[in-house]
Each structure stands twice: as C-alpha cells, then as structure tokens.
Amino acid sequence: MGIEGWNKSGNEAGRGGFSACCLAFAIDRIDLIEAACGDEAGRDVRGEVALRILRGLSDCGVALNSVCRDGGRLVVHFAGVPHHDVERCASRVIDGVSEYAIVRDWGTVFVTVSAGGVVSSVADLGRRRMEAWALSALSEASRLGSGRVHVIAAPDGLSSWYGRALEVLGGVRRALDAGRLSLAYQPVVGVDGEVFYHECLLRAVDENGAAMGPAEFVPVLEQLGMIGWLDHYVFGKVVEELLADERAVLGCNLSGQSVSDSGWMERVFDLLSARPGVARRLVVEITETSAIFDLMKAAGHVAQLRGLGVRVALDDFGAGFASFAHLRALGVDIVKLDQSFLASAGDAAWFDRVAHLAGLVRGIGCDVVVEGVEREEQLAVLDLADVTHVQGYCFGRPSAYRRWRYEESGGQNEAAGVR
Ligand code: C2E
Ligand code: CA
Ligand code: CA
C-alpha cells in the first residue's frame, strides 16, 4: 500500500519543492535490551528492526536510493517525496516496527524506534550533509522521547550555511595539518586557593596568523556531526601532557556527541588503560550535552571513565541543555556552573541564584565550580558556602604557560586564597 501521491517520479514530485530526502532510524534504549539480554540479542534485534523498517518503507511505496548503517542507526536516502509525506511515512514505519513483539529463544522484547530526517529542494546538498542533518534531527527526536519523528526542511540558505561550515571545517583541518592548533591552560582553583587542575582550551591560528576561537568552530563541527576527530586530537594532546609530567592534573573538554559514541569512547578507554597513572590526573569536562544522542549510553561511559579513576565534570550547567536530567543520569563528580550566571549578575538576585544552585548540586555530593569569575568584587558578593572551586580571569587567564612544569609546587598554591 503506498501513500497517496508518492508513486510519482522524482521530477514530478520535485515540482512540489522537494527532491532529496534522508531518514535516520534508531532503536530507543537498545542499551537496555543489550544489558538485559546480551550483545548477541542486541545484534539480533538490530537486524530484525532493520528488516521491518525496510519493509515498512517499501509498503509506503518509497524507492530507496541507498541504505547504510551508521553505528546502531539505519540511514536511508530517497528522492521525490514532499515533506509532510516523509513525516507520515516515518511515523507509519516506526508504528509498524513496534506493532509486534520480537520473539526469540533468548526472550521476547517490544521495541520502539525514533526517526529523524531532512528534506531538501536542493538536489546537490550531498549525501554526507544530508546524513549529518538527518542525524541531528534524530537526536532531537530522541531527546523528545521514544517513538518520535522529527523531520526538518533544509532551508534555502542551507547550502550556503554548509558552504560556510565546510570552510570553517577546512580551516581547522588546515590548522591541524600545519601545526597551528595548540592548547591554553587555565587553572580551576579550590576556595582555599589551591589549584585543583588546569583546563585545556583549544587555540587555533589561521593562515594569516589571526586567532580562531573555539567558540567560532566547535559549534560548527558539532552541527556537522564532526567534532569527534577534533576531540580525539585534543584528547591525545592532553594525554601527552599528562605523560610528560606527572605533576600535571588536566581537564579536557569532550563534546556530548563524543561521550555518547561507543566507538569513539572505546579508543579513549584503550588509551587510558594502556597508560596507568594518567586517568587519575585527568578531568573530563562534558560540554554541549544537547549533542548527547543516547543519555544512557553516555552514562555508561561516564561510569567506565570513573571506574578508571577519571573525574568527570558536567560543563555549562544551568545554561542551554545541561539540565538536572543530565545531572541525575550521568552521575558526575563535578558540576561547573555556567559563566553566564556571573555575566548577568548585575543584581544581587543573580548571586543568590548561583548560591542556591550550588547548594542543590552540593546536596547530591558533587564538587561545584563557579566559572567566569573576573573580579574580586564578585567573590565578595557571592555566597561561597556550597562552592568548592572557582575559575576565571581573576585566578588566571588561559595561557600556554604550563605552570605545573616550572613551579616548585607543581602549580599548586599559586592562586590567591578565595576565603
Ligand atoms: P568552556 O569549556 O566553558 O570554557 C570556558 C571558556 O570561558 C573559555 O573560552 C575561556 O577562555 C573562557 N573564560 C575563562 N575565564 C573567563 C572569565 O573570567 N570571563 C570570561 N568572559 N570568559 C572566561 P574559550 O577558550 O573561547 O572556549 C569556548 C568554549 O569552546 C569552551 O567553553 C568549550 O565549550 C569549547 N572548547 C574549548 N576547547 C575545546 C576542546 O578542546 N574541545 C571541545 N569539544 N570544546 C572545546
Ligand atoms: Ca569546559
Ligand atoms: Ca563552561
């Protein structure tokens, strides 16, 4: 049975405005099935679900141009289908998948599937770009709950957005190849004035010697779904620094995208397991939690990291997507309160909010870092009762200087006491 108006040629339907479509499907909470029934059962379920999805698409009359697996996700490309029909089709397919239980020797399970997609009137957007958008729509669908569909229309300006994004990506890649990427280190200081660790912040310089801030390119790479290789580069550099001097205690920013990717994290675990003594001097800061596409999987990885002795921080808490749901699920050691709290702290009420939030976080046993402390006056006003650490220009700007290497105390006790 086909959806009305679908069995048209690509060109014909293309007159309706859309000529290319990419849908990505993922099984909701497959990690729970794997945990309960084993990896073999997980593979079995993935295979069965893939068959049901393809059968469902065919029942809708969709002629697929290509099908591929991306990790645990199934990604399909087709053409000539208008936006609202893509949504209807995806809903019908995912309803079909969960209609019947999967009955096997190892047990019986019901699964739900979420789908994300992109439809575009621009035929030459390219497969990788379409996939990146479909996957980002899929993370949005998964964020909303189970069995959800989220389809976006590629705006007319998308190709120019991609053009610019690819330029940014190219710039970072060239900087990497030419050795123009480096790290800056900024201390995170205890309220007693002792340096806890130095956060490593990426620095890049373009062909003309101009600085490119991570705020310019990290979000772009995240949107392209390509932050993984950059995080991998930085992680490698941070581990090198830790190996070079055993007095170093360093923080490394990892995007939520990387932290919820099992293949990516496997390399991290291998790297740390082969280098004893590094993990306990490493703090992983999870940034951009909106990019976590599987919270339970990310929580499993956090537990594994902590098992190795790594301390894990939830970054930018209280801003954007870093929420109490993340805090509860991820089980981190440290919470960093977003610096926007202090930036907007023109009035005393904001300082009260910081203190209140710090109390809540401290109440569940995490260390609390207040970020973005620029001036001593801010500390005078802030109630530090539940704050364990502070960070900001007031205690040291990010710089290439490796103070742990050159100072007797390994960089400890360098900052002025806070209390
Ligand atoms: P973040 O992790 O929250 O890092 C803190 C940012 O605040 C840094 O900006 C730092 O330079 C800045 N900062 C520190 N103290 C103060 C202060 O007192 N006042 C103000 N106004 N700013 C302060 P930066 O280096 O531009 O980094 C921006 C963001 O880019 C970072 O925010 C982080 O999310 C991301 N980032 C940086 N390096 C990496 C990296 O290696 N990997 C990943 N995935 N993301 C990175
Ligand atoms: Ca950070
Ligand atoms: Ca932060």
Side-chain angles (χ1 to χ4, degrees), residues 197 199-201 252-253 285-287 315-316 336 371 391:
Y197 67 94
E199 177 178 0
C200 300
L201 293 157
C252 178
N253 288 288
E285 297 192 5
I286 305 177
T287 67
D315 207 350
D316 305 332
K336 300 186 78 175
E371 290 187 300
Q391 180 180 8

Side-chain angles (χ1 to χ4, degrees), residues 375-391:
R375 297 176 307 277
E376 278 183 24
E377 308 91 82
Q378 292 175 311
L379 288 171
V381 189
L382 198 61
D383 175 1
L384 291 169
D386 291 303
V387 174
T388 56
H389 302 85
V390 285
Q391 180 180 8

Side-chain angles (χ1 to χ4, degrees), residues 186 199 201-203 214 218 231 234 253 255 287 315-316 339 371-374 392-393 398:
Q186 186 181 32
E199 177 178 0
L201 293 157
L202 192 56
R203 295 291 175 259
V218 166
D231 277 350
V234 173
N253 288 288
S255 164
T287 67
D315 207 350
D316 305 332
Q339 62 191 52
E371 290 187 300
V373 182
E374 294 183 353
Y393 298 160

Side-chain angles (χ1 to χ4, degrees), residues 178-219:
R180 286 185 270 105
L181 290 187
S182 62
L183 295 177
Y185 310 95
Q186 186 181 32
V188 174
V189 182
V191 285
D192 55 3
E194 197 157 303
V195 175
F196 175 16
Y197 67 94
H198 284 86
E199 177 178 0
C200 300
L201 293 157
L202 192 56
R203 295 291 175 259
V205 174
D206 73 13
E207 285 85 349
N208 305 314
M212 302 191 282
E216 288 169 43
F217 57 79
V218 166

Side-chain angles (χ1 to χ4, degrees), residues 39-332:
D39 289 349
E40 191 57 43
R43 271 192 291 280
D44 194 1
V45 168
R46 284 181 215 278
E48 171 63 23
V49 168
L51 280 178
R52 291 186 187 188
I53 291 171
L54 295 177
R55 207 179 300 136
L57 287 165
S58 154
D59 287 348
C60 287
V62 175
L64 297 178
N65 292 335
S66 80
V67 179
C68 68
R69 294 259 184 113
D70 174 80
R73 294 160 295 196
L74 188 79
V75 182
V76 298
H77 292 262
F78 51 94
V81 180
H83 189 156
H84 62 280
D85 279 346
V86 171
E87 253 169 30
R88 270 164 50 196
C89 169
S91 298
R92 196 180 279 195
V93 169
I94 65 176
D95 286 350
V97 171
S98 47
E99 200 172 350
Y100 303 105
I102 298 175
V103 184
R104 293 289 193 271
D105 291 345
W106 48 259
T108 297
V109 290
F110 280 94
V111 293
T112 61
V113 167
S114 294
V118 59
V119 280
S120 164
S121 55
V122 184
D124 66 353
L125 265 185
R127 181 159 299 185
R128 284 180 68 92
R129 294 174 187 184
M130 292 291 280
E131 280 177 17
W133 277 88
L135 291 173
S136 103
L138 174 60
S139 16
E140 180 60 18
S142 304
R143 207 176 60 78
L144 297 171
S146 309
R148 301 299 185 105
V149 175
H150 185 62
V151 178
I152 54 174
D156 288 343
L158 188 59
S159 356
S160 61
W161 183 87
Y162 264 115
R164 283 195 304 277
L166 292 179
E167 268 172 38
V168 170
L169 174 65
V172 180
R173 278 215 177 267
R174 285 195 298 281
L176 173 68
D177 292 341
R180 286 185 270 105
L181 290 187
S182 62
L183 295 177
Y185 310 95
Q186 186 181 32
V188 174
V189 182
V191 285
D192 55 3
E194 197 157 303
V195 175
F196 175 16
Y197 67 94
H198 284 86
E199 177 178 0
C200 300
L201 293 157
L202 192 56
R203 295 291 175 259
V205 174
D206 73 13
E207 285 85 349
N208 305 314
M212 302 191 282
E216 288 169 43
F217 57 79
V218 166
V220 175
L221 265 60
E222 261 156 358
Q223 279 170 285
L224 287 171
M226 297 189 72
I227 192 69
W229 67 266
L230 190 64
D231 277 350
H232 195 259
Y233 168 81
V234 173
F235 190 81
K237 285 282 164 208
V238 173
V239 168
E240 271 175 31
E241 288 295 336
L242 289 167
L243 286 169
D245 192 327
E246 62 181 24
R247 291 168 299 180
V249 181
L250 299 176
C252 178
N253 288 288
L254 293 184
S255 164
Q257 208 170 91
S258 306
V259 174
S260 52
D261 181 333
S262 296
W264 197 94
M265 288 301 290
E266 213 47 61
R267 293 198 283 174
V268 163
F269 297 136
D270 288 349
L271 218 100
L272 292 177
S273 307
R275 292 164 182 79
V278 163
R280 62 184 173 75
R281 292 186 287 119
L282 174 65
V283 179
V284 161
E285 297 192 5
I286 305 177
T287 67
E288 200 46 44
T289 44
S290 66
I292 294 181
F293 52 78
D294 188 333
L295 193 54
M296 292 319 289
K297 199 163 263 180
H301 296 150
V302 166
Q304 243 176 301
L305 280 171
R306 296 180 70 211
L308 289 168
V310 175
R311 276 157 294 183
V312 181
L314 183 58
D315 207 350
D316 305 332
F317 187 71
F321 285 97
S323 65
F324 271 98
H326 288 106
L327 187 53
R328 209 173 32 237
L330 292 175
V332 295

